[in-house]
Amino acid sequence: MNVFDRSMKRKQKEWASSLLDSDKYNYLRDEVGSRVADRVYDVSRTFPLALDVGCGKSHIAEHLSKDVVERLFLTDISDSSLRNRKKCEMPTQCVLADEEFLPFKENTFDLALSSLSLHWINDLPGALRQIHQVLKPDGVFIGAVVGGDTLYELRCSLQLAELEREGGFAPHISPYTAVTDLGNLLGQAGFNMLTVDIDEVQVNYPGMLEVMSDLQGMGESNCAWNRKSLLHRDTILAAAAIYKEMYGNEDGSVPATFQILYMIGWKPHESQAKPAKRGSANVSFADLSKINKLQTDHQKTNDKS
């Protein structure tokens, strides 16, 4: 499957990271990176060697301490992003590499991380299998990807405007992963003890044009092969009006919703907890209905004494 132009995505990220005011577009990546880091802290262990896949300007590492991650490898397709990365506590090593082709040996890392980069991968199942491969047994992968309901306001507004002005519409927003598929993809890649949860980040903007400008500054412009190369001025103005009419706030601003899917998966190891064998339970589900009665009888006994 070849949905995205990876060369175009590299150029977009290079351009965005080289902007003089590029830091003002990092708010979403910084926020999601901090939430990924929170999930790392929830795992009660120290990771000697970790990998950040598609790190950008190192938006996760700045929120980690060297007591949790002792050494970190940073990979990204954008050389400019790696050169302009943020400072962090632990020693880091940068590797210019495509997320679809990880240049590491099997069973290398204790922890793998990824934040807001895997939604531009052509072969997501293959990328997850590679992450699983480079992890050591009992290693953990903690990541965040953009979910399917992201930017639904922009998507709907552009589609309605194009239907009205041009008699049809083309995709302007990248296709994103559905939460119902994510657990299956992790399982097929070989991970177990899976956790998937959803979060939403809503950002208010003055108007639709500011939404599109910030997406460009983030390096998040559409790079699908079937993208439309030109969006007519009349269509843009109509879409902006539709956006404000359908979704606008009382103060005149417009919201943009980013659905974030967080995932945790472990590489199997014999030390991990395993489900009990089928039929080994010694309590029946039918007995659960008696719990309230037992509690009531116990309370009455205590009251009498």
Side-chain angles (χ1 to χ4, degrees):
M1 183 176 293
N2 191 12
V3 178
F4 303 115
D5 183 348
R6 295 290 293 170
S7 176
M8 175 59 68
K9 178 50 58 183
R10 178 184 290 106
K11 292 176 182 177
Q12 290 173 353
K13 295 186 71 172
E14 287 282 347
W15 177 84
S17 62
S18 63
L19 293 174
L20 295 177
D21 58 349
S22 62
D23 287 345
K24 79 175 187 178
Y25 300 109
N26 289 337
Y27 51 88
L28 181 64
R29 295 185 186 279
D30 288 341
E31 178 62 28
V32 176
S34 70
R35 298 185 187 189
V36 172
D38 287 343
R39 287 160 171 79
V40 176
Y41 284 107
D42 289 339
V43 181
S44 301
R45 67 171 65 176
T46 298
F47 300 97
L49 187 60
L51 169 68
D52 188 350
V53 180
C55 65
K57 292 185 177 180
S58 189
H59 303 280
I60 303 175
E62 65 170 336
H63 302 287
L64 296 174
S65 72
K66 59 184 178 182
D67 296 328
V68 176
V69 175
E70 295 179 350
R71 189 180 175 201
L72 179 64
F73 274 69
L74 302 170
T75 69
D76 200 88
I77 60 172
S78 167
D79 179 61
S80 179
S81 296
L82 292 172
R83 284 189 283 105
N84 295 318
R85 67 189 182 278
K86 300 184 178 185
K87 295 181 180 179
C88 59
E89 289 187 13
M90 73 287 297
T92 59
Q93 184 168 338
C94 296
V95 179
L96 185 65
D98 194 317
E99 296 95 329
E100 294 185 341
F101 306 100
L102 297 180
F104 302 107
K105 294 182 179 180
E106 189 174 356
N107 301 327
T108 299
F109 298 98
D110 306 282
L111 168 69
L113 303 167
S114 181
S115 180
L116 302 187
S117 70
L118 295 181
H119 58 283
W120 294 116
I121 295 295
N122 281 306
D123 183 11
L124 183 56
L128 291 174
R129 284 194 295 270
Q130 288 188 59
I131 292 172
H132 178 273
Q133 186 176 20
V134 300
L135 279 173
K136 295 177 181 178
D138 201 33
V140 60
F141 169 54
I142 302 176
V145 295
V146 176
D149 289 339
T150 293
L151 298 174
Y152 70 87
E153 303 98 338
L154 180 61
R155 189 194 310 268
C156 292
S157 299
L158 288 171
Q159 288 178 355
L160 291 173
E162 279 193 301
L163 281 171
E164 177 191 345
R165 297 302 172 97
E166 302 177 31
F169 64 86
H172 295 284
I173 310 297
S174 167
Y176 297 126
T177 306
V179 64
T180 52
D181 297 330
L182 197 54
N184 292 332
L185 290 173
L186 288 169
Q188 291 171 10
F191 292 100
N192 63 5
M193 298 193 295
L194 308 178
T195 303
V196 177
D197 61 288
I198 308 175
D199 199 3
E200 281 191 355
V201 178
Q202 193 171 82
V203 183
N204 291 322
Y205 297 88
M208 189 196 79
L209 297 180
E210 286 76 13
V211 176
M212 298 175 70
S213 176
D214 273 26
L215 289 173
Q216 189 178 29
M218 296 176 191
E220 288 296 315
S221 299
N222 190 7
C223 70
W225 285 107
N226 64 347
R227 66 189 181 278
K228 190 175 180 179
S229 58
L230 177 64
L231 195 58
H232 296 289
R233 182 174 182 273
D234 288 347
T235 303
I236 294 177
L237 295 176
I242 293 171
Y243 201 129
K244 183 157 289 190
E245 177 66 25
M246 292 182 62
Y247 306 106
N249 299 317
E250 292 182 359
D251 62 0
S253 64
V254 298
T257 301
F258 299 90
Q259 185 187 57
I260 311 298
L261 311 181
Y262 296 93
M263 52 189 162
I264 301 176
W266 294 78
K267 188 167 183 176
H269 187 263
E270 59 183 10
S271 66
Q272 294 170 352
K274 296 178 176 60
K277 293 183 179 179
R278 185 179 179 87
S280 62
N282 52 24
V283 177
S284 171
F285 278 108
D287 296 332
L288 295 177
S289 60
K290 302 176 183 179
I291 291 178
N292 288 336
K293 183 177 183 301
L294 292 172
Q295 290 176 335
T296 303
D297 293 343
H298 180 69
Q299 184 64 40
K300 288 181 179 178
T301 303
N302 290 339
D303 291 343
K304 289 179 181 179
S305 59

